Amino acid sequence: MLKLCDPPAGETSGSLTQAFFSAIRSQSVARTAPLSVEDCAAQSMPDASPAKWHLAHTTWFFETFVLERFEPGFKPFDPAFRVLFNSYYNGVGEKFSRPQRGLLTRPSLNEVLAYRRDVDARMLKLLQTAAGQSEMIALLELGLQHEQQHQELIVTDAKHLLSLNPLYPAYGLALEAAATVRDAAWLKFPAGVVEIGYGGDEFCFDNETPKHRQFIEAYSLASKLVTNAEFAAFIADAGYERSEFWLSEGWDWVRSNQIAQPIYWRREGDGWAEFTLQGVGPLQPRQPVSHISYFEASAYALWAGARLPTEAEWEAALKCDPMPEQMFGSVWQWTSSAYAPYPGFVPAAGAVGEYNGKFMVNQYVLRGSSLATPKGHSRATYRNFFPAHARWQFSGMRLAK
Amino acid sequence: MLKLCDPPAGETSGSLTQAFFSAIRSQSVARTAPLSVEDCAAQSMPDASPAKWHLAHTTWFFETFVLERFEPGFKPFDPAFRVLFNSYYNGVGEKFSRPQRGLLTRPSLNEVLAYRRDVDARMLKLLQTAAGQSEMIALLELGLQHEQQHQELIVTDAKHLLSLNPLYPAYGLALEAAATVRDAAWLKFPAGVVEIGYGGDEFCFDNETPKHRQFIEAYSLASKLVTNAEFAAFIADAGYERSEFWLSEGWDWVRSNQIAQPIYWRREGDGWAEFTLQGVGPLQPRQPVSHISYFEASAYALWAGARLPTEAEWEAALKCDPMPEQMFGSVWQWTSSAYAPYPGFVPAAGAVGEYNGKFMVNQYVLRGSSLATPKGHSRATYRNFFPAHARWQFSGMRLAK
Amino acid sequence: MLKLCDPPAGETSGSLTQAFFSAIRSQSVARTAPLSVEDCAAQSMPDASPAKWHLAHTTWFFETFVLERFEPGFKPFDPAFRVLFNSYYNGVGEKFSRPQRGLLTRPSLNEVLAYRRDVDARMLKLLQTAAGQSEMIALLELGLQHEQQHQELIVTDAKHLLSLNPLYPAYGLALEAAATVRDAAWLKFPAGVVEIGYGGDEFCFDNETPKHRQFIEAYSLASKLVTNAEFAAFIADAGYERSEFWLSEGWDWVRSNQIAQPIYWRREGDGWAEFTLQGVGPLQPRQPVSHISYFEASAYALWAGARLPTEAEWEAALKCDPMPEQMFGSVWQWTSSAYAPYPGFVPAAGAVGEYNGKFMVNQYVLRGSSLATPKGHSRATYRNFFPAHARWQFSGMRLAK
Amino acid sequence: MLKLCDPPAGETSGSLTQAFFSAIRSQSVARTAPLSVEDCAAQSMPDASPAKWHLAHTTWFFETFVLERFEPGFKPFDPAFRVLFNSYYNGVGEKFSRPQRGLLTRPSLNEVLAYRRDVDARMLKLLQTAAGQSEMIALLELGLQHEQQHQELIVTDAKHLLSLNPLYPAYGLALEAAATVRDAAWLKFPAGVVEIGYGGDEFCFDNETPKHRQFIEAYSLASKLVTNAEFAAFIADAGYERSEFWLSEGWDWVRSNQIAQPIYWRREGDGWAEFTLQGVGPLQPRQPVSHISYFEASAYALWAGARLPTEAEWEAALKCDPMPEQMFGSVWQWTSSAYAPYPGFVPAAGAVGEYNGKFMVNQYVLRGSSLATPKGHSRATYRNFFPAHARWQFSGMRLAK
């Protein structure tokens, strides 16, 4: 995790920050390297965004929340971008209609890259004199964390787009392969009061605070993630056709969308193929199941005689020794916890206060991180969240009892 | 609350049960007394049902879950009713399309009333010999509680139907008037582990179990409900036009449905009128605001510098002396708690297990009871639940900090 | 056809008109005799209306267009009815939302019948002194023709409602049975200029005027209607699965609505049953196919190596001797003619000018009349019209070449 | 118009055909010159297609209907393209979902251009030996006419896409400016039988045949097109707010889409700006109004005390001397004629028979041609057609009486 306030000896704060900034910013562009100009411009569904838009919006974030406020003699790169690349900040003004982001053929990818270079240069110049400006550093840090979140979305959105093309093109960029799952065990945890949430002095999102107490009844957690082979057994047992495993709303979702398998699975003869970042290939039975919705995770758990863990159970388990396998870096793990404010939660001040709090309804928390999560962008207390039907993220599951 | 297992001395269990049964069943019909034959047949929206359907469905419940199983030589009143009046029990077989219940002009209201009389007679006969049949008694009890839930819906659904008629007809049946709200205070509660959920030996729904422990941080609860006058001040302060108070999904709901006031409020000159069970009249400023959605409750709370309580905070406050005003009998109170299973929750066995558990997603818990809740049908641990946009129920709010 | 201007000798114009008026008005109520109060109040789809609404709206027509203008000291029966029972006359003011007519549980059927009696009494009184008031008589005549159109809709709308009820109740009123179809022949007609449209001095709708000339190339017309057996052969030949027979928009309609047979046909073993006014029974092979859409008629014709006639071809054929069988009284016959104004068409003046002209887009003309058309309400030049997907009318077809 | 069967002396048929082929094919690519790679890939609405798709689909047409049948040893350029670039030919097999054409980021524009080059080379080779192969020449000719239709769509679809971008980019390619409209007159035409449709021996589409007779009553036609200034007067007279001018379905369209002006007009102070191929500029009052729907044309005509001409009236007027101004090359002109088969119409054989006939429902005929119509691609008998709500074409109007 980026830590800006405590640089190593012998380095000035400014130069270290500059290096961090450049390193993280360059990762966004690197993730678009396998994509064509056309891939970068298309939007596959309202929930997803074009890669070009991600590149521009993350730049807009620095221009709007840092440069506009702290750069002497600030002038916008292009005033129209203020509206075009605002995502959802009502406090900042108008925003372009989300489902139409794929129609923004102008500015071109090259112009967006020029926009990035311009803002990057201005940011680096500003950072040379940033020492002691704690408010600016806090916004910079938020901007970089925000950028990393969009780096994951660049991958998931591109994967979804390519999956709709009958040519099934590969994204191809090598991301760390998901660990092969080994033998499972039920790990037992006692009842008691635990502390949940972030209480340190480094960066975290506002939704991870405040640190607070929760009482957890005794529970068990699977040592490993649910695998493709296990999920295939659920399907083979008519899992998608038996209403008794499904939440009522999930059952409606299955029926009206005619859903019969995870989004990237394809029937192939008697077995299954899967569309991955490397194109279509045979389903890997020992890898964690991925790209499932909360509804699917919940139905599988009921079929398996278990349930999903709460986010508190998940977080508390991290403090055990040894901690359960595969908590990070493979797939995000659905919890049964609705995304809600912690007791005493106060959103950040200003427009960045719209970052998290206003989404705390009808979404469910995922914990951990995925193979597409940038290095350093994971945390024991990190709360990812998506609606119950979403499945284009690298979302899997771990059982609890 | 109905308690079947412990009859007063000198009474046989059977005859007491019969009296309870008849008393509760007759209340359903009584609640349709102000309605015309046509009122009883219409369905105002997919979430609501015709009164005739409620009368038939509650009867179907006894026929399907009690008579079919326990009555010697059982024959259905009409085999077609098994499908027509099944609500959502997949375990029982096919069901008629919910949004089309208003098209079921046959059977007529008279035929449905005949159906009720037939099932009632058979139930009473069965109850004469019911002593000791604990499973049947449990199902009977569930059926009566279920009937009482539909009694509340008969009123809320009729109110909604009549509100859409430009003639604004009154429902007119005298229900206990909502208490006038007096001066408010913040009641403080300490942090600590509390016991939540039902642990007694009388009737409760499965979703109230098991009794378990939760840790609650220190909090304050308003002694009284939010009033119409207070809610009008929120509107006067442009509450429906300022995105900063709203959950993101709530803001979309406001905009796409052009919502600018509670569902039954009407502008009248400079002030407000309200459609109530007695027709349209001036808004009563000191009565609790009612018929608001979770989105509206949440926005109001933020505007007021407060928040909604969790259901645990609400339930824990009941054990205080004196307990806060107006916890029951006025309006249901939105909590910030998503409807979820308690730790260790196990649904009831068989088709009646579909009663609660499968709805535990994307809904929010309301606590207390309303003026339309039947006498005896409320409980400290009772969990009502509706989606965040629902507002045709008698749903109001109490602030917390 | 009603003719008001030329009463038989020895009768005063007024008393004859009164008798006509009462006779036609009473037919509307007679057609609701088989329906229950609840049947009369329900609306099965936005295109259909409740029978109660038909009874009220036809009364509103006389109150609005005749009494309000000609009755001394006119007072409305109920001012609210002006909005409630306006169908589509923008010139008359606001109107109640069409798809919600089924929610108008008030006024009750009894109140609507009282409304009819009141307006009828006032109309009869007015008619006593009507001699020579040609403008009033013209509006009266239009009102009675309008009433007869709604009499047909009372039957088709009730049939559609009852068809959605799993109990399949019979409407039951004996309407003249459709004639059994006998052997077919192709009748040939020469090319030439023909006169089309109404040129007489009795009643007709404005859309039948002016009489004008059209040139028709030589054509052949089937002597008889297409039968159920013939249509079943089309289905047996995979007619609903072969895109080559279908208009592109029709093919989309078939696929997205999963349509595989006429709306009231039901598979029964290897054969077909049909829901009729008498309930469900075996399909009658020699009766004319009914309740098909323009899309279905067009696809059948192409499959049969023929086409639909134009409305001019249909009308011109009536002047032949002998004229083709079954032109009237069985089923309306789709023509290939889009509903459009005749050359020189001028809508009637005032709000009644909205009667026809504004619907002349994206609809197709049907000619003839059906078993549900009131006696006297058919004419060689009569132009019925519905959208291409509509099929709840008694709509069939005759082939042309 | 391209005429292949009668080459000038001294030329071999093959080389002339090759020159024609290359000249027309190159125009498609030329029309995409002002567009970026991203512009070429985006789809602004289901009715429009990406320019890249147009380039590929027109190539697919030659590959599928000519090369596959006549090229010795035919091998497809890429088998997947058969599905990807089929538009609506059910007879040819599967087709890619139309509303998702903007998601086909692969193949890239460069690959599509390579596809064009490959097919062009093979076509030219085939044409060297084409003499006497009349069936192939007929398909070639159809393919080139088809290509020219898509050339117009390349412009209209690009214009629509760019209009949705808040940057309002100009398309910029110089197309012949629309003629400025001069003084108007009513031209009178007598009643009589006229011949309509194509009867020559050069190319025409099947929907223009057979030549046949129609009787037309006497009529007048405006010598000129309706101008922007005239249409602005209709708006100033509350034309979009007065239901009396609108077809009922048009009025619903206006209300539910909140339409208050032609699609590319923008309020600017007290006046109007218009988005054109050159970007946004002041509305040109003397130019023909363009981009209006049939609904708008029909409402304007009624407001102006006139009507739209039928297509027969339009076509017959061309034979007069002098013929009315601006019949071609400015804007397509809505007629009041529903798109329907001429008497005796027989679709072309095989899959190309799907070209026209199956669209003959719920569309209206436009006559003439527009500034975006390729040179040589217009004809007295040409029948363009679109649904009544369409307005992204260069569609205007001429009045009739």
Side-chain angles (χ1 to χ4, degrees), chain C residues 341-355:
Chain C
Y342 285 160
F345 169 69
V346 179
V352 293
E354 298 187 48
Y355 203 101

Side-chain angles (χ1 to χ4, degrees), chain D residues 103-304:
Chain D
L103 304 185
L104 287 178
T105 56
R106 320 282 181 98
S108 69
L109 179 57
N110 277 336
E111 288 168 314
V112 165
L113 292 173
Y115 178 39
R116 286 185 74 88
R117 286 189 299 270
D118 180 78
V119 166
D120 282 356
R122 290 153 66 192
M123 284 294 298
L124 290 174
K125 189 171 168 200
L126 185 64
L127 288 177
Q128 285 182 328
T129 58
Q133 300 203 32
S134 64
E135 193 181 7
M136 192 197 77
I137 293 295
L139 286 165
L140 168 74
E141 201 158 16
L142 180 62
L144 290 174
Q145 297 279 343
H146 170 259
E147 180 110 15
Q148 289 183 308
Q149 293 185 313
H150 281 275
Q151 286 166 5
E152 180 146 2
L153 295 175
I154 285 172
V155 176
T156 55
D157 292 0
K159 182 174 181 178
H160 188 259
L161 171 67
L162 297 175
S163 81
L164 297 178
N165 193 314
L167 305 175
Y168 287 145
Y171 173 72
L173 196 66
L175 289 171
E176 186 184 318
T180 299
V181 169
R182 284 164 289 174
D183 292 343
W186 285 107
L187 310 178
K188 294 191 176 178
F189 301 89
V193 171
V194 296
E195 288 199 316
I196 296 297
Y198 191 77
D201 54 5
E202 303 201 352
F203 177 84
C204 74
F205 286 110
D206 57 1
N207 63 7
E208 302 170 49
T209 64
K211 187 171 190 167
H212 64 286
R213 289 164 287 181
Q214 289 197 27
F215 186 92
I216 309 184
E217 299 282 357
Y219 68 106
S220 299
L221 205 62
S223 64
K224 64 159 202 71
L225 301 172
V226 172
T227 64
N228 281 331
E230 289 166 334
F231 204 87
F234 166 70
I235 301 179
D237 196 28
Y240 282 92
E241 291 136 51
R242 292 164 63 185
S243 63
E244 65 262 37
F245 304 132
W246 294 83
L247 290 162
S248 180
E249 189 176 324
W251 186 240
D252 291 345
W253 173 80
V254 162
R255 301 273 285 225
S256 52
N257 296 285
Q258 298 181 284
I259 286 174
Q261 72 273 135
I263 186 171
Y264 294 136
W265 291 27
R266 311 275 179 258
R267 284 272 178 208
E268 197 165 271
D270 289 345
W272 291 105
E274 188 178 18
F275 176 74
T276 71
L277 295 173
Q278 274 66 46
V280 174
L283 185 72
Q284 301 299 313
R286 303 201 61 201
Q287 288 206 331
V289 68
S290 188
H291 296 293
I292 56 171
S293 68
Y294 179 81
F295 293 133
E296 288 164 304
S298 163
Y300 176 87
L302 200 53
W303 172 81

